[in-house]
Amino acid sequence: RMTWKQYHRLEDIHGFMDYLAKTYPTIVSVNTIGKSFEGRNLKVLRISNGKSANKAVFIDGGIHAREWISPATVTYFINQFAENFDVESDDIKNIDWYFLPVVNPDGYEYTHVTDRLWRKNRKPGYGSRLCTGTDLNRNFGYRWGGKGASNSPCSEIYRGSKAFSEPESQAVSDFIKNSAANFSAYITYHSYGQYLLYPWGYDNALPPDHKDLESLGRKMAEAIISTGGTNYQVGSSSGLLYPAAGGSDDWAKSQGIKYTYTIELRDTGRHGFVLPTSYIEPVARESLAGLRVLASQVNKE
Ligand code: 0X9
Ligand code: ZN
């Protein structure tokens, strides 16, 4: 059974998604959009009222294996929308939601079984017999290979042998590109640091509509602080954090998806990646408040 009192294994998360599709077949469907290097499914859950005019939002989690609060938060959203769809706000109901809670299932399982702090995927490094894993958030094909990404397979920020060399990043890109959905937002959940980050991440440059991204980001941060008392900083990835090329956010923005954010969830370092389970519900709840603000903006576009 799914709860938000523990972190779950991949099998439980996928079982939960399939259960919702079975229980609410008129609004929920699950699709496997590809397979990880080790052959695990990349499962996307869609929630929609089927209206053809709907805008779409793509949300993912678990790009980085050790950031367990991310899949936990994304599954909380799924549960909230699927279980309460009929009483949800019109802002939520009139969006086609796509959720991929675990982009990096091989890495995620590896952090449960072998190495709690693993970050990358589990494909052996190109030309390297010694090192495993590509940083999926350096493998996307916009300005791939620029600042803040390494060409060494042994690095934690290894970019891969070429853009989209990894099946996991390739599957996300293929899915978004080939989808008929009209995506106006892409949010990717990471941890930690409490940041709402918008493009660009590859270098200190801003997209033409950065003021829209900043102003929605601030509104989301206000909703988060008034719900859970947690302070999030808002800014561009490169400005607030560091330049890092090949991120999924930059790629999504390059595809014309207007409201693109990387959200770094709690905390600010006391527990870091190893966030106690007692944080799951508060983090997910305040994050949902932020997501509602985004949904309201998407419906105004
Ligand atoms: O470095 C990253 O990939 C992200 N931080 S994390 O601590 N979760 O690893 C930030 C990514 C921000 N976006 C881009 N640089 N494109
Ligand atoms: Zn991350």
Side-chain angles (χ1 to χ4, degrees):
R1 226 185 98 251
M2 203 63 186
T3 70
W4 285 269
K5 301 190 184 305
Q6 281 170 238
Y7 295 109
H8 292 276
R9 298 292 291 270
L10 184 75
E11 191 185 44
D12 296 358
I13 294 173
H14 284 173
F16 166 70
M17 294 166 75
D18 293 338
Y19 156 81
L20 290 174
K22 234 185 141 170
T23 309
Y24 304 106
T26 56
I27 53 159
V28 178
S29 56
V30 171
N31 262 289
T32 296
I33 65 160
K35 287 197 188 286
S36 66
F37 174 73
E38 292 176 346
R40 294 184 178 87
N41 288 337
L42 300 169
K43 281 194 183 210
V44 168
L45 182 142
R46 174 179 190 260
I47 305 182
S48 169
N49 61 10
K51 290 191 187 164
S52 60
N54 290 352
K55 298 277 187 357
V57 174
F58 190 92
I59 292 180
D60 69 37
I63 285 187
H64 290 140
R66 63 193 173 193
E67 299 168 8
W68 287 7
I69 190 62
S70 158
T73 298
V74 175
T75 55
Y76 180 96
F77 300 157
I78 292 173
N79 185 62
Q80 171 63 32
F81 294 172
E83 294 285 358
N84 308 294
F85 195 76
D86 40 334
V87 294
E88 264 296 350
S89 65
D90 287 343
D91 281 338
I92 301 301
K93 282 186 199 159
N94 293 326
I95 286 173
D96 292 348
W97 297 94
Y98 291 83
F99 298 98
L100 172 54
V102 190
V103 177
N104 177 11
D106 299 347
Y108 187 69
E109 284 297 287
Y110 193 74
T111 60
H112 279 264
V113 175
T114 306
D115 177 359
R116 177 65 185 83
L117 291 179
W118 190 259
R119 168 180 170 94
K120 302 187 284 180
N121 76 350
R122 292 294 304 162
K123 190 176 126 182
Y126 184 75
S128 170
R129 281 169 311 232
L130 294 174
C131 290
T132 297
T134 291
D135 183 347
L136 296 176
N137 216 30
R138 301 291 181 275
N139 191 240
F140 282 74
Y142 183 72
R143 303 244 174 180
W144 177 85
K147 289 184 181 174
S150 170
N151 62 6
S152 162
C154 297
S155 167
E156 283 283 75
I157 51 169
Y158 177 47
R159 65 191 187 184
S161 58
K162 57 179 191 224
F164 297 120
S165 56
E166 308 306 298
E168 298 89 356
S169 49
Q170 178 74 61
V172 171
S173 151
D174 286 349
F175 179 75
I176 290 176
K177 270 178 121 53
N178 299 333
S179 172
N182 182 202
F183 289 111
S184 39
Y186 167 82
I187 309 188
T188 180
Y189 286 90
H190 286 251
S191 72
Y192 56 89
Q194 298 171 199
Y195 298 107
L196 287 167
L197 305 168
Y198 53 82
W200 298 107
Y202 71 86
D203 206 341
N204 281 299
L206 292 168
D209 59 351
H210 68 95
K211 288 195 170 142
D212 300 341
L213 289 158
E214 172 79 27
S215 107
L216 178 59
R218 284 191 193 171
K219 286 181 203 155
M220 292 168 70
E222 276 171 35
I224 293 170
I225 202 167
S226 59
T227 302
T230 308
N231 189 53
Y232 274 68
Q233 284 180 259
V234 180
S236 76
S237 286
S238 49
L240 212 48
L241 280 191
Y242 38 72
S248 68
D249 49 2
D250 281 7
W251 178 81
K253 185 68 180 165
S254 80
Q255 296 301 299
I257 304 180
K258 180 171 174 78
Y259 290 106
T260 289
Y261 294 93
T262 293
I263 301 188
E264 300 280 0
L265 296 166
R266 288 204 229 171
D267 58 8
T268 56
R270 182 175 134 122
H271 302 289
F273 303 116
V274 191
L275 198 68
T277 53
S278 60
Y279 283 68
I280 300 173
E281 283 182 348
V283 169
R285 196 175 84 93
E286 69 195 12
S287 300
L288 178 59
L291 185 58
R292 290 189 186 287
V293 172
L294 176 117
S296 150
Q297 181 61 44
V298 164
N299 276 294
K300 282 180 202 139
E301 291 295 306

mmCIF file of all heavy atoms in Angstrom, residues 110-144:
data_model
loop_
_atom_site.group_PDB
_atom_site.id
_atom_site.type_symbol
_atom_site.label_atom_id
_atom_site.label_comp_id
_atom_site.label_asym_id
_atom_site.label_seq_id
_atom_site.Cartn_x
_atom_site.Cartn_y
_atom_site.Cartn_z
ATOM 1 N N TYR A 110 19.147 1.317 -6.992
ATOM 2 C CA TYR A 110 20.528 1.183 -6.503
ATOM 3 C C TYR A 110 20.718 1.909 -5.169
ATOM 4 O O TYR A 110 21.420 1.422 -4.281
ATOM 5 C CB TYR A 110 21.487 1.727 -7.569
ATOM 6 C CG TYR A 110 22.930 1.375 -7.350
ATOM 7 C CD1 TYR A 110 23.405 0.092 -7.586
ATOM 8 C CD2 TYR A 110 23.842 2.351 -6.922
ATOM 9 C CE1 TYR A 110 24.745 -0.227 -7.398
ATOM 10 C CE2 TYR A 110 25.184 2.046 -6.731
ATOM 11 C CZ TYR A 110 25.628 0.760 -6.969
ATOM 12 O OH TYR A 110 26.958 0.459 -6.783
ATOM 13 N N THR A 111 20.049 3.065 -5.017
ATOM 14 C CA THR A 111 20.166 3.788 -3.734
ATOM 15 C C THR A 111 19.445 3.067 -2.609
ATOM 16 O O THR A 111 19.757 3.272 -1.442
ATOM 17 C CB THR A 111 19.619 5.235 -3.812
ATOM 18 O OG1 THR A 111 18.225 5.203 -4.180
ATOM 19 C CG2 THR A 111 20.390 6.079 -4.798
ATOM 20 N N HIS A 112 18.464 2.238 -2.953
ATOM 21 C CA HIS A 112 17.769 1.465 -1.915
ATOM 22 C C HIS A 112 18.570 0.239 -1.491
ATOM 23 O O HIS A 112 18.469 -0.212 -0.356
ATOM 24 C CB HIS A 112 16.381 1.025 -2.419
ATOM 25 C CG HIS A 112 15.358 2.108 -2.311
ATOM 26 N ND1 HIS A 112 14.487 2.239 -1.248
ATOM 27 C CD2 HIS A 112 15.079 3.146 -3.139
ATOM 28 C CE1 HIS A 112 13.722 3.283 -1.419
ATOM 29 N NE2 HIS A 112 14.043 3.861 -2.569
ATOM 30 N N VAL A 113 19.331 -0.336 -2.441
ATOM 31 C CA VAL A 113 19.961 -1.636 -2.191
ATOM 32 C C VAL A 113 21.448 -1.508 -1.856
ATOM 33 O O VAL A 113 21.959 -2.233 -1.013
ATOM 34 C CB VAL A 113 19.771 -2.559 -3.427
ATOM 35 C CG1 VAL A 113 20.503 -3.877 -3.267
ATOM 36 C CG2 VAL A 113 18.284 -2.805 -3.674
ATOM 37 N N THR A 114 22.137 -0.590 -2.521
ATOM 38 C CA THR A 114 23.610 -0.635 -2.489
ATOM 39 C C THR A 114 24.267 0.640 -1.989
ATOM 40 O O THR A 114 25.158 0.582 -1.152
ATOM 41 C CB THR A 114 24.144 -0.969 -3.904
ATOM 42 O OG1 THR A 114 23.521 -2.175 -4.348
ATOM 43 C CG2 THR A 114 25.653 -1.149 -3.898
ATOM 44 N N ASP A 115 23.861 1.778 -2.528
ATOM 45 C CA ASP A 115 24.572 3.018 -2.209
ATOM 46 C C ASP A 115 23.562 4.156 -2.112
ATOM 47 O O ASP A 115 23.107 4.676 -3.132
ATOM 48 C CB ASP A 115 25.623 3.291 -3.304
ATOM 49 C CG ASP A 115 26.372 4.607 -3.097
ATOM 50 O OD1 ASP A 115 26.089 5.350 -2.132
ATOM 51 O OD2 ASP A 115 27.260 4.906 -3.933
ATOM 52 N N ARG A 116 23.232 4.513 -0.898
ATOM 53 C CA ARG A 116 22.188 5.510 -0.637
ATOM 54 C C ARG A 116 22.439 6.842 -1.335
ATOM 55 O O ARG A 116 21.497 7.571 -1.628
ATOM 56 C CB ARG A 116 22.057 5.718 0.884
ATOM 57 C CG ARG A 116 21.061 6.788 1.317
ATOM 58 C CD ARG A 116 19.647 6.434 0.961
ATOM 59 N NE ARG A 116 18.710 7.502 1.281
ATOM 60 C CZ ARG A 116 18.464 8.562 0.509
ATOM 61 N NH1 ARG A 116 19.114 8.746 -0.638
ATOM 62 N NH2 ARG A 116 17.565 9.456 0.879
ATOM 63 N N LEU A 117 23.696 7.168 -1.598
ATOM 64 C CA LEU A 117 23.994 8.492 -2.144
ATOM 65 C C LEU A 117 24.334 8.490 -3.637
ATOM 66 O O LEU A 117 24.912 9.451 -4.166
ATOM 67 C CB LEU A 117 25.101 9.162 -1.315
ATOM 68 C CG LEU A 117 24.653 9.553 0.106
ATOM 69 C CD1 LEU A 117 25.806 10.191 0.883
ATOM 70 C CD2 LEU A 117 23.447 10.508 0.091
ATOM 71 N N TRP A 118 23.947 7.424 -4.345
ATOM 72 C CA TRP A 118 24.162 7.390 -5.792
ATOM 73 C C TRP A 118 23.309 8.458 -6.485
ATOM 74 O O TRP A 118 22.160 8.693 -6.095
ATOM 75 C CB TRP A 118 23.811 6.005 -6.353
ATOM 76 C CG TRP A 118 24.247 5.860 -7.777
ATOM 77 C CD1 TRP A 118 23.477 5.948 -8.896
ATOM 78 C CD2 TRP A 118 25.590 5.641 -8.227
ATOM 79 N NE1 TRP A 118 24.247 5.793 -10.022
ATOM 80 C CE2 TRP A 118 25.553 5.613 -9.640
ATOM 81 C CE3 TRP A 118 26.825 5.483 -7.564
ATOM 82 C CZ2 TRP A 118 26.694 5.416 -10.420
ATOM 83 C CZ3 TRP A 118 27.956 5.290 -8.334
ATOM 84 C CH2 TRP A 118 27.874 5.245 -9.745
ATOM 85 N N ARG A 119 23.879 9.113 -7.490
ATOM 86 C CA ARG A 119 23.190 10.213 -8.187
ATOM 87 C C ARG A 119 22.801 9.870 -9.633
ATOM 88 O O ARG A 119 21.720 10.219 -10.095
ATOM 89 C CB ARG A 119 24.153 11.420 -8.197
ATOM 90 C CG ARG A 119 23.764 12.571 -9.122
ATOM 91 C CD ARG A 119 24.814 13.677 -8.998
ATOM 92 N NE ARG A 119 24.683 14.721 -9.999
ATOM 93 C CZ ARG A 119 24.004 15.861 -9.800
ATOM 94 N NH1 ARG A 119 23.365 16.060 -8.665
ATOM 95 N NH2 ARG A 119 23.955 16.783 -10.741
ATOM 96 N N LYS A 120 23.704 9.207 -10.349
ATOM 97 C CA LYS A 120 23.573 9.071 -11.808
ATOM 98 C C LYS A 120 22.695 7.873 -12.185
ATOM 99 O O LYS A 120 22.143 7.193 -11.337
ATOM 100 C CB LYS A 120 24.976 8.906 -12.404
ATOM 101 C CG LYS A 120 25.919 10.057 -12.079
ATOM 102 C CD LYS A 120 27.253 9.958 -12.804
ATOM 103 C CE LYS A 120 28.209 8.935 -12.222
ATOM 104 N NZ LYS A 120 29.493 8.863 -12.955
ATOM 105 N N ASN A 121 22.597 7.615 -13.485
ATOM 106 C CA ASN A 121 21.937 6.374 -13.885
ATOM 107 C C ASN A 121 22.944 5.223 -13.738
ATOM 108 O O ASN A 121 23.970 5.375 -13.059
ATOM 109 C CB ASN A 121 21.327 6.503 -15.287
ATOM 110 C CG ASN A 121 22.361 6.423 -16.405
ATOM 111 O OD1 ASN A 121 23.571 6.461 -16.162
ATOM 112 N ND2 ASN A 121 21.893 6.325 -17.628
ATOM 113 N N ARG A 122 22.671 4.056 -14.328
ATOM 114 C CA ARG A 122 23.522 2.890 -14.080
ATOM 115 C C ARG A 122 24.111 2.311 -15.357
ATOM 116 O O ARG A 122 24.562 1.161 -15.367
ATOM 117 C CB ARG A 122 22.734 1.819 -13.311
ATOM 118 C CG ARG A 122 22.390 2.221 -11.871
ATOM 119 C CD ARG A 122 23.587 2.372 -10.959
ATOM 120 N NE ARG A 122 24.399 1.166 -10.907
ATOM 121 C CZ ARG A 122 25.661 1.134 -10.483
ATOM 122 N NH1 ARG A 122 26.260 2.224 -10.045
ATOM 123 N NH2 ARG A 122 26.330 -0.006 -10.492
ATOM 124 N N LYS A 123 24.142 3.104 -16.411
ATOM 125 C CA LYS A 123 24.770 2.617 -17.636
ATOM 126 C C LYS A 123 26.285 2.814 -17.541
ATOM 127 O O LYS A 123 26.737 3.890 -17.143
ATOM 128 C CB LYS A 123 24.203 3.402 -18.830
ATOM 129 C CG LYS A 123 24.590 2.826 -20.190
ATOM 130 C CD LYS A 123 23.921 3.590 -21.306
ATOM 131 C CE LYS A 123 24.952 4.070 -22.311
ATOM 132 N NZ LYS A 123 24.331 4.863 -23.377
ATOM 133 N N PRO A 124 27.079 1.799 -17.883
ATOM 134 C CA PRO A 124 28.534 1.951 -17.801
ATOM 135 C C PRO A 124 29.021 3.122 -18.650
ATOM 136 O O PRO A 124 28.504 3.374 -19.736
ATOM 137 C CB PRO A 124 29.051 0.621 -18.357
ATOM 138 C CG PRO A 124 27.932 -0.341 -18.142
ATOM 139 C CD PRO A 124 26.676 0.459 -18.306
ATOM 140 N N GLY A 125 29.996 3.840 -18.146
ATOM 141 C CA GLY A 125 30.518 5.022 -18.835
ATOM 142 C C GLY A 125 31.189 4.659 -20.149
ATOM 143 O O GLY A 125 31.830 3.620 -20.256
ATOM 144 N N TYR A 126 31.039 5.529 -21.123
ATOM 145 C CA TYR A 126 31.593 5.297 -22.459
ATOM 146 C C TYR A 126 33.106 5.134 -22.396
ATOM 147 O O TYR A 126 33.821 5.993 -21.875
ATOM 148 C CB TYR A 126 31.230 6.484 -23.361
ATOM 149 C CG TYR A 126 31.660 6.342 -24.795
ATOM 150 C CD1 TYR A 126 30.965 5.499 -25.659
ATOM 151 C CD2 TYR A 126 32.743 7.058 -25.280
ATOM 152 C CE1 TYR A 126 31.349 5.388 -26.990
ATOM 153 C CE2 TYR A 126 33.136 6.951 -26.604
ATOM 154 C CZ TYR A 126 32.431 6.105 -27.449
ATOM 155 O OH TYR A 126 32.816 5.996 -28.751
ATOM 156 N N GLY A 127 33.592 4.016 -22.900
ATOM 157 C CA GLY A 127 35.027 3.784 -22.933
ATOM 158 C C GLY A 127 35.646 3.539 -21.568
ATOM 159 O O GLY A 127 36.853 3.469 -21.423
ATOM 160 N N SER A 128 34.795 3.427 -20.542
ATOM 161 C CA SER A 128 35.335 3.259 -19.198
ATOM 162 C C SER A 128 34.949 1.903 -18.641
ATOM 163 O O SER A 128 33.774 1.563 -18.565
ATOM 164 C CB SER A 128 34.812 4.349 -18.277
ATOM 165 O OG SER A 128 35.148 4.051 -16.941
ATOM 166 N N ARG A 129 35.951 1.130 -18.252
ATOM 167 C CA ARG A 129 35.633 -0.133 -17.585
ATOM 168 C C ARG A 129 35.466 0.094 -16.096
ATOM 169 O O ARG A 129 35.088 -0.785 -15.368
ATOM 170 C CB ARG A 129 36.766 -1.141 -17.815
ATOM 171 C CG ARG A 129 36.712 -1.799 -19.192
ATOM 172 C CD ARG A 129 37.995 -2.557 -19.451
ATOM 173 N NE ARG A 129 39.137 -1.695 -19.139
ATOM 174 C CZ ARG A 129 40.159 -1.463 -19.963
ATOM 175 N NH1 ARG A 129 40.198 -2.080 -21.105
ATOM 176 N NH2 ARG A 129 41.129 -0.652 -19.628
ATOM 177 N N LEU A 130 35.802 1.302 -15.660
ATOM 178 C CA LEU A 130 35.872 1.532 -14.228
ATOM 179 C C LEU A 130 34.660 2.243 -13.666
ATOM 180 O O LEU A 130 34.274 1.995 -12.527
ATOM 181 C CB LEU A 130 37.108 2.371 -13.899
ATOM 182 C CG LEU A 130 38.430 1.665 -14.172
ATOM 183 C CD1 LEU A 130 39.585 2.630 -13.953
ATOM 184 C CD2 LEU A 130 38.576 0.442 -13.268
ATOM 185 N N CYS A 131 34.079 3.114 -14.437
ATOM 186 C CA CYS A 131 33.053 3.976 -13.846
ATOM 187 C C CYS A 131 31.699 3.801 -14.503
ATOM 188 O O CYS A 131 31.594 3.575 -15.703
ATOM 189 C CB CYS A 131 33.497 5.426 -13.900
ATOM 190 S SG CYS A 131 34.855 5.712 -12.746
ATOM 191 N N THR A 132 30.696 3.923 -13.673
ATOM 192 C CA THR A 132 29.316 3.711 -14.090
ATOM 193 C C THR A 132 28.527 4.992 -13.927
ATOM 194 O O THR A 132 28.720 5.734 -12.961
ATOM 195 C CB THR A 132 28.687 2.603 -13.211
ATOM 196 O OG1 THR A 132 29.404 1.397 -13.429
ATOM 197 C CG2 THR A 132 27.220 2.385 -13.551
ATOM 198 N N GLY A 133 27.636 5.208 -14.880
ATOM 199 C CA GLY A 133 26.608 6.217 -14.691
ATOM 200 C C GLY A 133 26.859 7.536 -15.379
ATOM 201 O O GLY A 133 27.962 8.086 -15.382
ATOM 202 N N THR A 134 25.767 8.038 -15.974
ATOM 203 C CA THR A 134 25.728 9.379 -16.549
ATOM 204 C C THR A 134 24.790 10.210 -15.683
ATOM 205 O O THR A 134 23.763 9.708 -15.214
ATOM 206 C CB THR A 134 25.192 9.299 -17.993
ATOM 207 O OG1 THR A 134 26.174 8.650 -18.808
ATOM 208 C CG2 THR A 134 24.891 10.671 -18.571
ATOM 209 N N ASP A 135 25.153 11.466 -15.487
ATOM 210 C CA ASP A 135 24.231 12.400 -14.832
ATOM 211 C C ASP A 135 23.146 12.760 -15.852
ATOM 212 O O ASP A 135 23.414 13.500 -16.810
ATOM 213 C CB ASP A 135 24.986 13.643 -14.367
ATOM 214 C CG ASP A 135 24.077 14.610 -13.607
ATOM 215 O OD1 ASP A 135 22.837 14.439 -13.649
ATOM 216 O OD2 ASP A 135 24.620 15.539 -12.974
ATOM 217 N N LEU A 136 21.955 12.229 -15.652
ATOM 218 C CA LEU A 136 20.877 12.474 -16.624
ATOM 219 C C LEU A 136 20.577 13.968 -16.762
ATOM 220 O O LEU A 136 20.116 14.411 -17.815
ATOM 221 C CB LEU A 136 19.619 11.694 -16.236
ATOM 222 C CG LEU A 136 19.779 10.167 -16.276
ATOM 223 C CD1 LEU A 136 18.497 9.489 -15.776
ATOM 224 C CD2 LEU A 136 20.110 9.684 -17.685
ATOM 225 N N ASN A 137 20.865 14.734 -15.731
ATOM 226 C CA ASN A 137 20.616 16.178 -15.812
ATOM 227 C C ASN A 137 21.786 16.945 -16.435
ATOM 228 O O ASN A 137 21.857 18.170 -16.321
ATOM 229 C CB ASN A 137 20.274 16.745 -14.433
ATOM 230 C CG ASN A 137 19.230 17.840 -14.516
ATOM 231 O OD1 ASN A 137 18.380 17.837 -15.416
ATOM 232 N ND2 ASN A 137 19.280 18.788 -13.582
ATOM 233 N N ARG A 138 22.670 16.216 -17.089
ATOM 234 C CA ARG A 138 23.693 16.819 -17.950
ATOM 235 C C ARG A 138 23.618 16.215 -19.359
ATOM 236 O O ARG A 138 24.467 16.484 -20.196
ATOM 237 C CB ARG A 138 25.108 16.559 -17.393
ATOM 238 C CG ARG A 138 25.348 17.087 -15.991
ATOM 239 C CD ARG A 138 25.372 18.604 -15.913
ATOM 240 N NE ARG A 138 25.628 19.072 -14.542
ATOM 241 C CZ ARG A 138 24.680 19.226 -13.612
ATOM 242 N NH1 ARG A 138 23.409 18.983 -13.880
ATOM 243 N NH2 ARG A 138 25.004 19.655 -12.401
ATOM 244 N N ASN A 139 22.632 15.380 -19.612
ATOM 245 C CA ASN A 139 22.572 14.589 -20.847
ATOM 246 C C ASN A 139 21.531 15.086 -21.846
ATOM 247 O O ASN A 139 21.415 14.549 -22.939
ATOM 248 C CB ASN A 139 22.341 13.116 -20.474
ATOM 249 C CG ASN A 139 22.534 12.169 -21.635
ATOM 250 O OD1 ASN A 139 21.606 11.455 -22.019
ATOM 251 N ND2 ASN A 139 23.712 12.155 -22.210
ATOM 252 N N PHE A 140 20.756 16.103 -21.472
ATOM 253 C CA PHE A 140 19.726 16.605 -22.388
ATOM 254 C C PHE A 140 20.365 17.478 -23.473
ATOM 255 O O PHE A 140 21.432 18.066 -23.271
ATOM 256 C CB PHE A 140 18.629 17.354 -21.621
ATOM 257 C CG PHE A 140 17.657 16.420 -20.937
ATOM 258 C CD1 PHE A 140 18.021 15.717 -19.792
ATOM 259 C CD2 PHE A 140 16.377 16.217 -21.451
ATOM 260 C CE1 PHE A 140 17.138 14.828 -19.175
ATOM 261 C CE2 PHE A 140 15.480 15.345 -20.830
ATOM 262 C CZ PHE A 140 15.868 14.640 -19.699
ATOM 263 N N GLY A 141 19.674 17.547 -24.609
ATOM 264 C CA GLY A 141 20.306 18.053 -25.822
ATOM 265 C C GLY A 141 20.184 19.528 -26.113
ATOM 266 O O GLY A 141 20.123 19.915 -27.275
ATOM 267 N N TYR A 142 20.129 20.370 -25.120
ATOM 268 C CA TYR A 142 20.215 21.805 -25.392
ATOM 269 C C TYR A 142 21.512 22.317 -24.772
ATOM 270 O O TYR A 142 21.703 22.210 -23.553
ATOM 271 C CB TYR A 142 19.007 22.553 -24.814
ATOM 272 C CG TYR A 142 19.035 24.021 -25.132
ATOM 273 C CD1 TYR A 142 18.787 24.481 -26.423
ATOM 274 C CD2 TYR A 142 19.356 24.953 -24.148
ATOM 275 C CE1 TYR A 142 18.848 25.834 -26.723
ATOM 276 C CE2 TYR A 142 19.410 26.310 -24.439
ATOM 277 C CZ TYR A 142 19.157 26.746 -25.728
ATOM 278 O OH TYR A 142 19.221 28.085 -26.022
ATOM 279 N N ARG A 143 22.404 22.839 -25.629
ATOM 280 C CA ARG A 143 23.725 23.302 -25.180
ATOM 281 C C ARG A 143 24.470 22.215 -24.408
ATOM 282 O O ARG A 143 25.213 22.508 -23.454
ATOM 283 C CB ARG A 143 23.595 24.563 -24.326
ATOM 284 C CG ARG A 143 22.881 25.669 -25.065
ATOM 285 C CD ARG A 143 23.807 26.821 -25.266
ATOM 286 N NE ARG A 143 23.165 27.829 -26.089
ATOM 287 C CZ ARG A 143 23.750 28.955 -26.435
ATOM 288 N NH1 ARG A 143 24.966 29.222 -26.042
ATOM 289 N NH2 ARG A 143 23.137 29.822 -27.195
ATOM 290 N N TRP A 144 24.252 20.969 -24.844
ATOM 291 C CA TRP A 144 24.900 19.822 -24.201
ATOM 292 C C TRP A 144 26.417 19.983 -24.180
ATOM 293 O O TRP A 144 27.007 20.432 -25.170
ATOM 294 C CB TRP A 144 24.524 18.535 -24.956
ATOM 295 C CG TRP A 144 25.211 17.325 -24.408
ATOM 296 C CD1 TRP A 144 24.812 16.558 -23.363
ATOM 297 C CD2 TRP A 144 26.446 16.756 -24.885
ATOM 298 N NE1 TRP A 144 25.712 15.541 -23.142
ATOM 299 C CE2 TRP A 144 26.730 15.650 -24.063
ATOM 300 C CE3 TRP A 144 27.338 17.088 -25.905
ATOM 301 C CZ2 TRP A 144 27.862 14.852 -24.238
ATOM 302 C CZ3 TRP A 144 28.476 16.308 -26.081
ATOM 303 C CH2 TRP A 144 28.718 15.205 -25.261
#
